Amino acid sequence: MRVNSDSENGQERTVLQILLVEDDRPLATGLIQALKKQAYAVNHVETGNSCIHTIEIEAPDIVILDLGLPDQDGLHVLKQLRNIAPTLPILVLTARNSADEKVLGLDSGADDYLAKPFEMTELLARLRVFERRLSTTSLSTITIDTVTLDINNHHVMINDIEIELSRKEYMLLKLLMENVGKILTRSKLESGLYGWNEEVASNAVEVHIHHLRKKLGMSFIKTVRGVGYKIDAQAEKTNAQ
Ligand code: CA
């Protein structure tokens, strides 16, 4: 990862590596130009196979994935990407604009979703959201009560036994554990889990909380009636590395 000077505010800015997976060449060319202009480093591939191959060799910071690919269904590529890199930010581009397709894309592990045709300024704004999220992860593990979140490896353990969480469940638990003792409102949690501008089912957070409670026990995440959720700071241990 290279470091560049940011011309806008004079601060050092890490150059993010973006993997663009898009088989439409004129669109890809336009995207590459726009992204490079914003000082992103771009690697471009045109097929699902080459996308998976590239990720297996070296994960980028962000993936922009077109769902209409020549060799594989983009949703299938998305699921494979998620298995390889559970927290890699993925922005899906697609001509499929129905609500069902959108939900399917998000359920398959996309972090955000942009329907073609889109404005380049909107795409860049979505990338900045990803960038902000990337810059907020600095702790290595957080332990509260019997639950340990291993941020580097994306594992969650109860009494040192690893438990399986979905990606959104992990993200939700991470938000709550990073903000231990604080009440997080449903809208705050939604904005942490989903991109802005992204439609979210009205009970999405409740559903994830319900699943988390089944796995972590009913009392770990508290409901603050009418406001949101929190985890109490009981026997908290935080290890920065
Ligand atoms: Ca395409």
Side-chain angles (χ1 to χ4, degrees):
M1 208 184 262
R2 288 169 293 139
V3 173
N4 258 17
S5 178
D6 186 328
S7 55
E8 273 176 35
N9 56 19
Q11 286 178 354
E12 294 264 288
R13 173 179 182 267
T14 305
V15 174
L16 292 185
Q17 312 280 334
I18 295 184
L19 176 64
L20 172 64
V21 190
E22 172 59 79
D23 62 313
D24 178 334
R25 288 195 181 161
L27 176 60
T29 305
L31 278 168
I32 292 166
Q33 278 174 357
L35 292 169
K36 286 192 171 165
K37 215 172 152 190
Q38 300 296 318
Y40 291 111
V42 188
N43 185 8
H44 172 224
V45 296
E46 299 188 345
T47 63
N49 289 338
S50 45
C51 166
I52 298 295
H53 182 67
T54 305
I55 300 273
E56 280 173 340
I57 293 169
E58 191 188 352
D61 297 306
I62 296 172
V63 176
I64 301 176
L65 174 69
D66 174 36
L67 286 192
L69 294 171
D71 60 333
Q72 296 189 42
D73 184 338
L75 287 174
H76 183 60
V77 176
L78 186 55
K79 283 182 186 161
Q80 294 172 74
L81 282 187
R82 266 300 155 248
N83 284 334
I84 302 167
T87 60
L88 178 64
I90 301 173
L91 174 65
V92 159
L93 300 181
T94 180
R96 311 168 186 188
N97 200 13
S98 78
D100 285 351
E101 291 284 4
K102 183 171 171 174
V103 168
L104 209 54
L106 296 170
D107 282 349
S108 305
D111 295 276
D112 204 352
Y113 195 102
L114 212 47
K116 295 176 185 174
F118 55 85
E119 295 291 331
M120 203 61 79
T121 49
E122 179 157 18
L123 177 105
L124 294 173
R126 305 284 182 102
L127 291 178
R128 285 196 296 275
V129 172
F130 282 0
E131 223 174 312
R132 279 200 293 278
R133 282 189 212 156
L134 284 169
S135 66
T136 55
T137 44
S138 56
L139 297 171
S140 65
T141 66
I142 303 174
T143 301
I144 300 168
D145 200 15
T146 57
V147 181
T148 296
L149 188 78
D150 180 339
I151 292 168
N152 293 335
N153 298 308
H154 317 292
H155 290 165
V156 175
M157 285 153 290
I158 300 179
N159 292 322
D160 295 329
I161 297 165
E162 191 177 338
I163 57 164
E164 292 259 327
L165 296 185
S166 76
R167 184 178 143 66
K168 293 286 188 199
E169 286 163 15
Y170 173 83
M171 287 168 72
L172 185 55
L173 182 65
K174 179 167 176 280
L175 273 173
L176 286 162
M177 287 181 72
E178 282 174 338
N179 291 283
V180 62
K182 286 188 216 154
I183 300 169
L184 297 184
T185 62
R186 194 175 76 184
S187 63
K188 168 97 183 162
L189 291 169
E190 276 175 1
S191 62
L193 289 190
Y194 301 93
W196 61 272
N197 240 0
E198 187 179 307
E199 274 174 52
V200 184
S202 63
N203 65 344
V205 168
E206 281 85 343
V207 170
H208 293 310
I209 293 273
H210 175 73
H211 291 143
L212 276 174
R213 282 178 171 155
K214 278 208 241 168
K215 296 172 185 178
L216 301 171
M218 295 307 286
S219 61
F220 188 63
I221 299 170
K222 307 269 189 298
T223 300
V224 183
R225 203 167 290 278
V227 185
Y229 300 94
K230 71 176 216 176
I231 292 174
D232 284 330
Q234 42 188 326
E236 177 199 351
K237 275 187 296 178
T238 299
N239 303 317
Q241 241 174 32

